[in-house]
């Protein structure tokens, strides 16, 4: 009789232990130091209406997005299946952004945007060629995009290469030279690298305004073009 009672007691303990282990398995496996286990927060995937018609409204959208990014409050937005299905019918981005191809300066990230919001044109040194100008034309003519932003950034490698060529006589090879040639007019021997970066933004805006198709939309008030500077700490300053 005693043996049966002992056996029953052992089985009961095993069952209770097994249930307890099954309920807290994750905590035991992931918490070797006895610290409390904190569940990871998953941001809600938001669907935001981005059917924006005016350049001022578009600029506000970018400023608000950068503010969220800068303060580590970026939203997970406009990337779910519903958004992807919506975009099968076409796109209506509210901003064309001409930026450097630098991996630290990704417009959809620094402006906390989602799919269908930003029409990206990225070339090292945020310069433009005929292909880039054609892409801008397409966005404003066929996608009704009301805002063009030319954004340069701190420590731009392409502008640095142009600056070092002019100031230090450093030679360049390959197609990088083609990019540097576009930036060289913005280099002042008596100014700083940051001055050159800002002048290069202005030079790109001037080049875009020389495109008659784009200028027509700007003159009619349908499109606005602005410059911006991105500090690698996260802040975008519009000019």
């Amino acid at each position: 009789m005693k043996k049966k009672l002992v056996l029953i007691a052992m089985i009961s303990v095993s069952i209770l232990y097994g249930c307890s282990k099954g309920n807290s398995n994750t905590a035991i496996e992931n918490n070797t130091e006895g610290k409390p286990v904190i569940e990871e927060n998953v941001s809600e995937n938001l669907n935001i209406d981005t059917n924006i018609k005016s350049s001022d409204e578009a600029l506000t959208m970018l400023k608000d997005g950068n503010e969220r990014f800068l303060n580590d409050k970026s939203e997970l937005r406009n990337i779910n299946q519903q958004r992807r299905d919506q975009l099968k019918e076409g796109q209506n981005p509210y901003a064309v952004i001409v930026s450097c191809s630098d991996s630290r300066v990704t417009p959809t990230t620094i402006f906390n945007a989602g799919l269908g919001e930003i029409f990206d044109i990225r070339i090292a040194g945020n310069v433009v060629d005929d292909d880039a100008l054609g892409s801008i034309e397409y966005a404003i003519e066929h996608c009704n995009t009301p805002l063009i932003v030319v954004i340069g950034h701190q420590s731009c490698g392409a502008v640095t290469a142009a600056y070092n060529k002019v100031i230090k006589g450093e030679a360049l090879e390959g197609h990088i030279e083609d990019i540097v040639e576009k930036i060289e007019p913005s280099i002042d021997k008596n100014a700083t690298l940051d001055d050159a970066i800002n002048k290069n933004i202005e030079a790109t805006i001037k080049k875009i305004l020389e495109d008659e198709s784009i200028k027509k939309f700007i003159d009619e008030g349908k499109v606005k073009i602005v410059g911006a500077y991105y500090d690698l700490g996260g802040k975008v300053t519009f000019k």
Side-chain angles (χ1 to χ4, degrees):
M1 184 66 178
K2 285 185 179 180
K3 287 184 179 180
K4 287 184 179 180
L5 289 173
V6 171
L7 183 59
I8 291 170
M10 289 176 66
I11 292 171
S12 298
V13 170
S14 297
I15 291 171
L16 288 170
Y17 177 73
C19 291
S20 174
K21 187 177 180 182
N23 290 336
S24 60
N25 189 50
T26 303
I28 292 171
E29 289 181 357
N30 298 329
N31 190 17
T32 57
E33 297 179 3
K35 296 177 181 178
V37 177
I38 301 173
E39 293 184 6
E40 183 178 351
N41 290 325
V42 179
S43 298
E44 184 182 359
N45 193 333
L46 303 172
N47 272 347
I48 307 296
D49 181 11
T50 57
N51 188 25
I52 292 169
K53 301 299 183 184
S54 76
S55 55
D56 289 340
E57 215 181 338
L59 192 55
T60 297
M61 186 75 87
L62 293 178
K63 288 179 178 179
D64 289 347
N66 181 244
E67 190 69 18
R68 291 193 301 273
F69 170 75
L70 182 62
N71 292 291
D72 295 331
K73 293 182 179 179
S74 292
E75 301 169 342
L76 189 63
R77 54 185 277 159
N78 289 344
I79 61 170
N80 62 14
Q81 189 62 57
Q82 181 182 345
R83 179 64 165 183
R84 297 194 294 273
D85 288 341
Q86 287 173 349
L87 293 172
K88 289 177 184 178
E89 305 301 321
Q91 60 172 323
N92 185 30
Y94 53 79
V96 176
I97 297 186
V98 179
S99 66
C100 183
S101 51
D102 193 300
S103 63
R104 299 167 293 179
V105 190
T106 51
T108 53
T109 301
I110 66 175
F111 292 113
N112 186 213
L115 294 173
E117 296 189 52
I118 291 174
F119 197 94
D120 277 333
I121 299 170
R122 305 188 66 193
I123 302 177
N126 46 274
V127 298
V128 290
D129 55 14
D130 289 345
D131 294 335
L133 292 171
S135 298
I136 297 171
E137 289 175 9
Y138 177 83
I140 63 177
E141 291 178 15
H142 298 280
C143 302
N144 302 310
T145 304
L147 180 66
I148 303 168
V149 179
V150 177
I151 182 168
H153 69 94
Q154 181 185 16
S155 302
C156 179
V159 178
T160 300
Y163 187 84
N164 289 341
K165 179 184 176 184
V166 173
I167 304 299
K168 301 177 182 178
E170 292 183 2
L172 296 160
E173 297 181 357
H175 291 295
I176 295 175
E177 176 66 24
D178 298 334
I179 295 172
V180 165
E181 283 180 1
K182 291 181 172 67
I183 301 172
E184 278 186 74
S186 298
I187 309 299
D188 182 343
K189 290 184 177 181
N190 299 313
T192 66
L193 173 61
D194 229 41
D195 291 331
I197 291 169
N198 281 286
K199 280 192 174 182
N200 184 53
I201 296 167
E202 295 169 5
T204 298
I205 291 174
K206 183 179 178 182
K207 180 70 175 177
I208 292 170
L209 289 173
E210 290 173 358
D211 183 297
E212 290 299 324
S213 297
I214 298 171
K215 190 174 183 300
K216 177 176 176 290
F217 277 80
I218 293 171
D219 289 344
E220 291 174 354
K222 296 177 180 177
V223 174
K224 184 176 183 178
I225 183 168
V226 298
Y229 178 91
Y230 176 67
D231 181 294
L232 292 178
K235 176 68 174 176
V236 175
T237 303
F238 289 91
K239 299 175 176 294

